[in-house]
Amino acid sequence: MSLNLLLDSGNPEIWREWLKVGIFHGITTNPSLLMKAGQPCTIENLKRLAELAKEIQCKELHLQAWGKNSDEITNCGLRIGELSNSELKVHVKIPITKAGCTAAKELISSNLSVTLTGCYEVKQALVASAIGATYIAPYLGRINDKGKDGITYLITMQQILKSTKSNCKLLVASIRATKEINHLSSNGIETFTINSTIAKDLFSSQATKEASEKFERDARV
């Protein structure tokens, strides 16, 4: 198993800040995150953002397609898929609805990588396995908000994908605490997308801070 951390943000400044740290393999975003960051959700702007992602050495970029029906989602997804190249792998995110999966089938048939997103139910792992998605993104925190045991849900989903010999991987989203990553990674789940708040918490250790400051003082003696 190899841990794969992705940065969940639509803000290019946050991308620049965190990609240089070295812990992130890639970036995930969606129309809501782009709106929050003041970024237009247009193909033209996604192209510009993909160029930036490549510039800051992002290796994997998940961009969400949109549309009122499966045909519109497919056409949007095809255009997003064109942004992928040898330096930057672009995955097309699609909500795991009937229309979304109809579009996903077409995109996968065109050799594009699909991330099924908006996952709240264990049974949706069956859909991801059957359709041949690269990733399925369950929303851990939001599942918990609905009164469900999100950790147990995700571990069961992982078992389904393993038992069905699927190449699809869980891409865990909506993470509220680093301890959730600890628990899930110890159960064989390896891909997580986190916001900058959780990223900061990974480096939060008072004991390490004090040790580092002492090293620095001693180096100057």
Side-chain angles (χ1 to χ4, degrees):
M1 186 183 80
S2 177
L3 185 66
N4 186 18
L5 287 180
L6 306 173
L7 179 64
D8 198 31
S9 172
N11 188 328
E13 294 307 310
I14 292 177
W15 293 10
R16 289 183 184 277
E17 176 186 357
W18 280 101
L19 263 291
K20 65 184 179 183
V21 174
I23 65 171
F24 289 106
H25 181 74
I27 297 165
T28 64
T29 193
N30 60 45
S32 298
L33 289 174
L34 291 172
M35 181 179 69
K36 182 179 178 181
Q39 292 292 323
C41 189
T42 63
I43 294 297
E44 291 73 19
N45 193 47
L46 293 186
K47 182 177 180 180
R48 184 185 68 81
L49 291 174
E51 287 295 323
L52 170 61
K54 185 172 67 172
E55 175 189 317
I56 60 177
Q57 300 184 334
C58 171
K59 301 301 181 184
E60 183 174 335
L61 179 61
H62 297 246
L63 298 173
Q64 190 161 326
W66 61 90
K68 296 178 181 178
N69 53 52
S70 60
D71 287 341
E72 289 188 4
I73 297 170
T74 299
N75 290 335
C76 182
L78 288 170
R79 295 187 69 186
I80 290 173
E82 292 174 353
L83 303 178
S84 193
N85 55 59
S86 60
E87 297 177 69
L88 176 68
K89 178 71 173 180
V90 174
H91 303 268
V92 185
K93 294 177 67 176
I94 297 180
I96 189 167
T97 62
K98 184 178 178 182
C101 286
T102 301
K105 177 186 175 184
E106 295 299 319
L107 298 177
I108 293 168
S109 296
S110 298
N111 295 317
L112 295 180
S113 177
V114 167
T115 297
L116 293 177
T117 191
C119 172
Y120 285 86
E121 308 289 344
V122 171
K123 61 189 177 185
Q124 291 171 320
L126 300 173
V127 176
S129 178
I131 205 168
T134 302
Y135 290 105
I136 179 171
Y139 291 172
L140 175 58
R142 297 183 190 179
I143 292 171
N144 289 333
D145 291 344
K146 292 183 176 296
K148 308 295 184 181
D149 183 347
I151 293 289
T152 299
Y153 267 38
L154 268 62
I155 292 173
T156 302
M157 291 175 70
Q158 176 75 357
Q159 292 170 342
I160 288 172
L161 295 175
K162 183 177 179 180
S163 296
T164 58
K165 296 180 172 56
S166 174
N167 290 322
C168 182
K169 295 182 179 181
L170 293 187
L171 194 173
V172 184
S174 186
I175 294 168
R176 305 279 173 77
T178 52
K179 64 181 180 180
E180 295 171 339
I181 302 176
N182 295 340
H183 193 160
L184 292 171
S185 61
S186 70
N187 281 276
I189 297 171
E190 60 188 32
T191 306
F192 304 87
T193 183
I194 62 176
N195 60 31
S196 57
T197 299
I198 298 296
K200 290 175 184 176
D201 188 60
L202 288 173
F203 291 92
S204 176
S205 170
Q206 184 60 30
T208 299
K209 180 176 181 292
E210 291 171 359
S212 177
E213 290 172 348
K214 185 177 186 305
F215 294 149
E216 185 65 22
R217 288 195 302 272
D218 290 349
R220 297 175 183 276
V221 173

